[in-house]
Amino acid sequence: MVLKRLPGKKGTIMARQREQYGRFYEEDFGLSGLGGKLCSGKRPRPTPPAVLELAAEAVRDEEDHQLGRDVRLLLESPVPDEVISVVWPAVTGGNFDPGDHGIGARDWLRMVAEVSRVDVPDKTEAQQPGLPEGELRACVLAEIRSAEPALRSTLPLPRVVSTLRQIVDEADADLGFRLFLRVLKAYAVPVDQGQYDRLLSIGDRLAYPLAAVFEGLAVRWRPLDAGRRDFGTRFGLPFLAAMFHGGWDAWRYEGSGTPREHVGRLAHGDRGLGPGTQAAVLLQDVRRLAGSALSDDAVTALWRTAAHRWNAAEAFDADGRAWLREIAEVCTARLADVAPAYVPALPTLRSDLTEAVLREVRDIGPALDRSVTHHCRSAATEGIASVLEETVRSVDPDLGFRFLLHLLASYDVAVSETQYARYQEIGARFGFHEEYVAEQVSANTAHANDRAD
């Protein structure tokens, strides 16, 4: 464990130098990940040799070096044996308990440590700044307290709550957090969306892969809200256009699929979100654009320019409004399946931001038109900035602003520092996720040649 001294109110705070787990793992990992593999009720109750083989496979085949670290954290901690003995049945949903086989808590940890002993590669280049252990510990303990009533009413193991607290306090808050998540999943403990959002935030600070937090949680989702904009950076019609970039085979997954199936990938792409969220937001964008006063030619030009399909021979989106109807059909089918009570409704237009977005389109429009013309030299794309301006004015300033950011990014239009700052301000007023604007245009920011307002 690498420790780093950080300034604090009372001198210093000791903090772990934590790795960016998301760079090495795609799902749950370490001791909690192993617990998840033992949770399945579809297989016979595992024996100690079978569990040790799973642990060895995780290290050998999946390169899960965190498993060995986690085991050693518990093994070397002052946490009593009787507390550690609660961990295994808790994280496996009661499917495995070494005590049932006459194996003591620390004896079992030593056995797992033996099979997870590996030469860990140097990953210092992937480490993020130290996260204060005290701050993390307080956050995790607060979430355990919040879930305590549900845990006590759901779990048949009376000491789980105190065990989790003791591991967080005396072993490691990071490990305690992952074990807490695994217990919630193993016993399908209901989690309201407010707590779920906080759990995601903690996982984000620890650089977990998203699936390590959300996958398997029994979340009580709020009703779908197609107007919500703070849930991520990839959604709606501009993002669908980004998915169609390149040649026909370039956006196919595994070399197969129709355009409708490709739309379905976004409509079903609710990883970590309430079921139907992506379909609801995409359907809202489509209904706005299809029902607007924008001409058919303008609708088609906007989509095809955004999707880099200016001269594409395939006819599926040659008529923009017909294509929008196909997208809507896919979204409606998805919503009927996962949220049958949902009734699509267009939220109030943010007309208070129309002029602000129009100013930005007009400001960078000439540069955008030049870049698009340079890329394709098609008459159909001449004056795309004017189409974008009309989209903001007569369709939706929110949708128009998202198309603007997408077009600037996909056509490599340089953005000045002052423009970027204004985009961030507009995005915040729309309620976008704090990383939305940065993910779209930060790589194209012209730092050296900032233009005056």
Side-chain angles (χ1 to χ4, degrees):
M1 179 186 299
V2 181
L3 296 177
K4 180 179 181 181
R5 292 193 175 273
L6 297 176
K9 293 182 179 179
K10 296 182 179 179
T12 60
I13 296 175
M14 299 303 289
R16 287 184 61 190
Q17 186 79 7
R18 300 188 183 280
E19 291 175 5
Q20 294 183 352
Y21 296 116
R23 292 187 56 175
F24 303 101
Y25 308 112
E26 296 181 355
E27 53 189 14
D28 202 0
F29 53 92
L31 190 55
S32 54
L34 179 61
K37 293 174 183 175
L38 300 174
C39 240
S40 173
K42 298 179 181 179
R43 64 177 72 185
R45 284 177 177 269
T47 62
V51 176
L52 292 175
E53 179 57 30
L54 272 178
E57 286 178 1
V59 174
R60 181 181 64 248
D61 300 337
E62 302 171 24
E63 299 186 350
D64 187 349
H65 306 297
Q66 190 61 35
L67 176 59
R69 298 189 188 109
D70 286 350
V71 170
R72 288 165 180 79
L73 277 171
L74 278 183
L75 190 58
E76 298 166 8
S77 75
V79 177
D81 283 16
E82 59 267 23
V83 171
I84 295 176
S85 67
V86 178
V87 169
W88 291 93
V91 301
T92 64
N95 279 353
F96 178 72
D97 184 349
D100 291 342
H101 302 272
I103 306 174
R106 273 187 164 75
D107 288 337
W108 174 246
L109 288 178
R110 292 186 187 97
M111 294 168 70
V112 178
E114 280 297 319
V115 301
S116 59
R117 183 172 294 167
V118 294
D119 295 325
V120 180
D122 181 13
K123 298 178 180 179
T124 54
E125 76 282 358
Q127 291 179 334
Q128 63 179 6
L131 180 64
E133 189 76 6
E135 181 182 346
L136 173 61
R137 186 182 301 117
C139 289
V140 176
L141 290 174
E143 295 309 322
I144 294 174
R145 281 195 301 272
S146 178
E148 183 171 352
L151 283 166
R152 292 193 183 279
S153 65
T154 305
L155 270 65
L157 306 169
R159 292 190 294 161
V160 168
V161 173
S162 60
T163 294
L164 291 170
R165 285 177 178 152
Q166 205 157 351
I167 291 173
V168 171
D169 272 329
E170 299 180 17
D172 183 65
D174 179 345
L175 173 58
F177 179 58
R178 282 185 282 115
L179 294 179
F180 167 55
L181 289 173
R182 179 50 58 192
V183 170
L184 293 175
K185 297 170 184 179
Y187 288 92
V189 179
V191 175
D192 66 49
Q193 191 165 339
Q195 180 168 39
Y196 172 70
D197 291 340
R198 297 192 302 272
L199 297 176
L200 280 182
S201 178
I202 294 173
D204 184 59
R205 294 187 66 189
L206 290 169
Y208 286 179
L210 182 61
V213 178
F214 82 80
E215 200 162 63
L217 275 181
V219 183
R220 291 183 295 212
W221 301 105
R222 300 187 190 103
L224 286 179
D225 178 8
R228 186 179 175 189
R229 292 290 180 266
D230 62 346
F231 57 80
T233 59
R234 301 180 177 188
F235 61 88
L237 196 55
F239 181 65
L240 180 64
M243 293 171 67
F244 275 81
H245 278 194
W248 185 259
D249 287 331
W251 57 262
R252 292 188 183 194
Y253 287 19
E254 300 178 356
S256 64
T258 65
R260 282 179 70 99
E261 289 169 345
H262 199 54
V263 174
R265 293 188 179 101
L266 177 56
H268 287 75
D270 296 317
R271 284 173 55 85
L273 302 171
T277 296
Q278 290 284 14
V281 176
L282 181 56
L283 179 61
Q284 175 185 277
D285 284 353
V286 165
R287 292 180 67 205
R288 282 262 196 239
L289 190 56
S292 72
L294 217 60
S295 71
D296 289 347
D297 287 345
V299 169
T300 303
L302 179 63
W303 162 260
R304 285 206 148 194
T305 305
H308 283 233
R309 290 179 46 77
W310 332 278
N311 299 309
E314 299 83 15
F316 72 87
D317 58 353
D319 179 339
R321 275 193 166 84
W323 170 233
L324 293 179
R325 286 193 291 273
E326 284 199 59
I327 298 172
E329 289 171 3
V330 175
C331 294
T332 302
R334 166 66 173 166
L335 290 165
D337 183 41
V338 297
Y342 175 70
V343 178
L346 294 178
T348 304
L349 282 171
R350 289 296 306 273
S351 55
D352 57 313
L353 289 170
T354 299
E355 289 304 317
V357 178
L358 282 175
R359 283 194 295 271
E360 300 307 330
V361 174
R362 292 164 181 160
D363 180 50
I364 206 164
L368 175 60
D369 279 339
R370 287 194 298 272
S371 185
V372 172
T373 300
H374 173 75
H375 277 78
C376 65
R377 304 190 183 282
S378 168
T381 61
E382 289 181 3
I384 196 62
S386 65
V387 173
L388 194 57
E389 187 174 334
E390 186 60 27
T391 301
V392 174
R393 184 186 300 108
S394 66
V395 182
D396 180 9
D398 174 343
L399 180 59
F401 183 60
R402 283 184 282 128
F403 264 119
L404 171 65
L405 296 179
H406 166 69
L407 288 166
L408 295 179
S410 61
Y411 287 95
D412 300 319
V413 181
V415 176
S416 73
E417 291 281 10
T418 52
Q419 287 171 319
Y420 179 74
R422 294 196 303 266
Y423 298 166
Q424 287 282 23
E425 181 181 355
I426 292 172
R429 292 177 66 187
F430 275 124
F432 292 167
H433 187 281
E434 60 184 6
E435 295 180 2
Y436 188 89
V437 172
E439 184 165 305
Q440 297 289 323
V441 299
S442 62
N444 302 311
T445 303
H447 296 283
N449 300 310
D450 195 13
R451 298 190 304 168
D453 286 329

